[in-house]
Amino acid sequence: MKKYLKPINLMELLRPLGQLIVFSLGSAAVLSIIVLALAIVLNNTAAGDKIFAQLKVSLFAYTVANLPQVLVDGLTLGFVYAAIALGYTMVYGVLEFINFAHSEIFAIGAFVGVEILIALQNAGLIGSGSSLFMDYVFLILAMLAGMAVAGGAAIAMERIAYRPLRNAPRLVPLISAIGVSFFLQDAIRLTESLTTGQFNRIFPTFGNFDKRITFGKIPMGAAELPFSVPIKSFIVIIAAVLMLVVLNYLVNATKVGKAIRAVAQDRATASLMGIDVNHIIAITFLIGGALGGAAGLLYALKFTRIDPYVGFYPGLKAFTAAVLGGIGNLTGALLGGIILGLLETFAGSYLSIFTMGAAGVEYKDIFAFAILILVLIFRPNGLLGENVTEKV
Amino acid sequence: MFKRSFAFLSLLVIASIALTACGSSTPATQAADSGSPATSGNVIKIASQSPLSGDQSVIGVDIKNGAQLAIDQLSGPLKDMGFTIQLAPYDDMANPDNGVANAKQIVADPAIMCVDGHYNSGVQIPSSEVYHSAGLANVSPANTNPTVTTRGYAEVNRIVGRDDVQGVVGADFAASKGVKSVYVMHDKTAYGQGIAEFFQQEAKAKGLEVLGFEGTEEKANFDPIITSIIAANPEAVYFGGMFSQAAVMFKQARDRGYEGMFISDDGFDSSDAAKIAGDTLMAGAGTFYSTVSGPAAAYADTAKFVTDFKAAFNHDPQPFAAQSYDSAAICLAAIQNAIKANNNQMPTREAVAKAVRELKDFKGITGVYNFNSIGDPVVAKYFVIQVMSGDPAQWSANEIVQTLDIAPPAP
Amino acid sequence: MAMLEVNDIHTYYGNIQALNGVSLKVEQGEIVTLIGANGAGKTTTLRTISGLLKPRQGQIVLEGNDITETPAHDIVYKRIAMVPEGRGVFARLTVAENLDLGAYSRSDRKNLAGDLERVFSLFPRLQERQKQYAGTLSGGEQQMLAMGRAIMSNPRLLLLDEPSMGLAPVLVDLIFDIIQQINKEGVTILLVEQNALMALSIANRGYVLQSGEILLSDTAESLKNNEMVQKAYLGIE
Ligand SMILES: Nc1ncnc2c1ncn2[C@@H]1O[C@H](COP(=O)(O)OP(=O)(O)O)[C@@H](O)[C@H]1O
Ligand SMILES: [Mg+2]
């Protein structure tokens, strides 16, 4: 009896935290070592001379001094990617289908949240003079509203555009997903142009989110680099971690989670267990959509400006992260997101210096994707693709 | 099942297309041509083309009014020579299709000798193809896209500066403020990158150290590039491109503690920039952007024009009204010269176009004009504007802090 | 009233007809077996009963109630459980999680512990391997798991599709012993088998299916002695 009914499985709650720490530290360490090794190699070449001429520091010292900031920025970005990637991987795990419209679900979450916050600001409830406590309450409410609408939109999308095609050849729902993606982009744009008449929407300035916590100054030659992290980065990281922990618990330690995993493996047998497969698939879209919506608002909080096409690049990157980690695998989405965020930030921060300006920040995506292709050549199923244990 | 799926798919596609169509505005209605009655032997017409309807008509109507005022005030000498001068105003609706349709009507009217227009480069460029093929002179009061003149058409001229010179403006401004080092960014578009390259060239020529030159399509996450910028610690950061990227980047850089100067181009001239970046634009060494034209009051000799304009049309002239006055005045002067050269007979269009290009030191109200071999003014005025408030509602209160006279790039 | 009555069902895969008017009856407490060659339509019959396939024609009646239109996920709530052909264990779930899913339909959570103990006493192997992924079990263990999982739903009618398939003879004996044991505990059984001899030796009655039609139906004893059955299904010349 005691063995059978486990009220709260502490292990399941803590396990993703452990994984997060291991993945973050591991990826950060590997990339740091590679970059430092490169810096040592390039130190005595023209690249080193150039940086010395400019800033009076060695290339190695430059690399070291910038490392903490690069790591924090990369991890923050990685967590945003991971949160979006979870939506792709959940749906893929259950339906073996890539929901290309997930990027627009993300955009819907961002728009709903931002519009609510703008309305609150116009009503004078947030902004100058509001209490910090209420600022956070409203931020959370906006995020919950974004999650609800995004989750609802995902369910509607599944019901209308994917379910009728469930037994059609694989390419058909994929085309439908691309159609839905275009449709939602234009629906957002049309709604905005009819209501606010604006293309760009701006996350209101309120609360203490832009404030930075300074951890000190890092000496770089004669100069000092400030090392600080904005409060909003902490919010992004904490929210993403919470989402991961809750999702992991939901999938691995609850009845509905077990049903989701059963449907993912064998729909017919799952229905013999009494599982309503359509219902579970709808729940999967709801969860994926809500996560995407939350990620949308976090993205708007971190990067300020959104427009109806805001989902495209983060969506593409998150999809890539999901593939890199092993699509269908929740832990893989996490690992893929962290690695991609770090890779992109490392490339953006160091590529220009290491190549003496020949390949600058504009190549950060090309570089990140080249690494992805390399990984996939050696591990076609992604980094954790063969690890069956975690598959949804 | 299959039929249903495909029916659904087609529905989706149709709906998407419908939505797209709804979103893009401006229905194409017929151009409003106020053609004048059949011409007698000595009637000469100057056409104006500008948006007289639609959301840009506030400026477009005053382009027409500026031309009208010039004809009213300056066609005396031509009248004495026995010619009647009329304005033929056309509405291009800020739409290339309407502009081109109007242009065809314009070249079909033999009395029209010169065109004063347009407001949008996107309309001027295709429309002037028509003027060019008919040998008809065009003086543009407002079009700043380099292509307007770089095609090298003998008929096409402008009296404003060029987008790509803004890079030079920004660099000269930075140098004048004692800036010693800059980091240059652009958006990888023809417009933004072009400006940034000119900025870099001029900055080096003025002895500034260029610590980085980077292009990016990124619209949100500037963290990596800001890391490089902060490490390099330039005294100014230049962004060639639009506010939607520049303002986001400036804000993130300021948030990270960068205290230097921000400089951008007229793509930054939108109150949304203040909405995005707010008070961070005011912090540190401040935020500046260049533009190619200023309000009438920014020019030295426009006081009388402003008074006359108000008397005639009951409101203050909008931007480009004064430039339109000068464009029409240039047309009149060229026509006059061409008539003289033709023994006081009606000149050909080719002769008028040639006369425009050959004008020497034409003194208008917005400056003294000479055209180079491709129709750019040999010097044009550029303005550097400082952001004065983080409040989007106060955007129009931004102040001109520098006016520069700069030559276009060699043709 | 029969516990289960299948009346003249016609089931298709797309346009391919697999069942051409199958009728059969299972009485409370019986073991009934459905034998037939490969491709005869045995699996199709069970999948139709369990709601995974919809017959184009005919009814399925459970204790007087028509369940023809009941979707598969509601059938288990009528206390019918199926052990599918090829076991259908969830390979990437643990043994314990598979058993848990067997009890998905149960609202009487308080009885679950007892039922789990019952499964473990029938199949002690499963208790040892609780934490192991089902995909790592041997074929015999997977069959035990599939049966244990079905028992966890506390069925009154158990549909078994070729439980002996691919198993070593010792294991086949064990499985058939357990089928009889379950039956003695009050579960009615409809057993599909290609191993006709084994099936007929534990069943009360049997049906012979051929090309989607019922060829013969009789008591297990009579079928065993039927010359045609002996020739075609029991390998006796
Ligand atoms: N998924 C399917 N699609 C098409 N035909 C099928 C399918 N499954 C079975 N069949 C056909 O239906 C008939 C009955 O199959 P089945 O019920 O599996 O037979 P059995 O279980 O008696 O071996 C066979 O002819 C088989 O080829
Ligand atoms: Mg079979």
Side-chain angles (χ1 to χ4, degrees), chain C residues 13 16 18 37-45 85 161-162 194:
Chain C
Y13 292 100
I16 304 160
N38 205 3
K42 305 182 294 294
T43 298
T44 307
T45 307
E85 188 176 54
D161 196 347
E162 303 211 32
Q194 275 197 61

Side-chain angles (χ1 to χ4, degrees), chain B residues 85-259:
Chain B
I85 309 294
Q86 293 174 353
L87 177 71
Y90 287 80
D91 180 8
D92 67 22
M93 302 177 84
N95 180 326
D97 297 340
N98 290 70
V100 170
N102 291 346
K104 286 180 179 154
Q105 290 187 28
I106 287 171
V107 300
D109 181 347
I112 295 178
M113 285 292 163
C114 192
V115 181
D116 171 4
H118 299 229
Y119 176 49
N120 307 90
S121 291
V123 182
Q124 196 275 347
I125 291 168
S127 302
S128 56
E129 293 288 339
V130 180
Y131 311 144
H132 169 62
S133 60
L136 179 60
N138 176 203
V139 182
S140 160
N143 301 120
T144 55
N145 189 301
T147 308
V148 168
T149 51
T150 53
R151 291 170 298 178
Y153 292 165
E155 301 81 8
V156 180
N157 311 275
R158 66 172 135 212
I159 62 166
V160 287
R162 287 167 46 150
D163 288 339
D164 50 7
V165 176
Q166 290 190 67
V168 177
V169 175
D172 285 356
F173 170 73
S176 77
K177 285 283 178 180
V179 169
K180 299 272 184 305
S181 58
V182 287
Y183 204 102
V184 185
M185 302 278 309
H186 62 80
D187 62 1
K188 293 168 83 172
T189 64
Y191 167 77
Q193 182 162 0
I195 290 178
E197 276 164 4
F198 277 107
F199 180 95
Q200 167 166 258
Q201 217 175 339
E202 177 74 3
K204 282 179 176 160
K206 291 261 160 157
L208 275 71
E209 193 180 4
V210 177
L211 296 174
F213 185 83
E214 300 269 15
T216 180
E217 283 158 358
E218 181 65 58
K219 289 190 162 63
N221 174 26
F222 293 94
D223 281 338
I225 188 71
I226 291 169
T227 297
S228 304
I229 289 174
I230 287 185
N233 200 21
E235 289 176 34
V237 172
Y238 188 80
F239 194 101
M242 304 299 292
F243 74 93
S244 50
Q245 276 178 294
V248 175
M249 192 195 117
F250 289 172
K251 174 180 161 60
Q252 290 180 10
R254 205 60 103 205
D255 284 348
R256 278 273 288 271
Y258 177 69
E259 290 292 321

Side-chain angles (χ1 to χ4, degrees), chain A residues 261-278:
Chain A
R261 285 184 291 152
V263 169
Q265 290 181 39
D266 184 344
R267 263 178 250 167
T269 310
S271 69
L272 290 177
M273 304 295 112
I275 297 167
D276 183 342
V277 172
N278 282 335

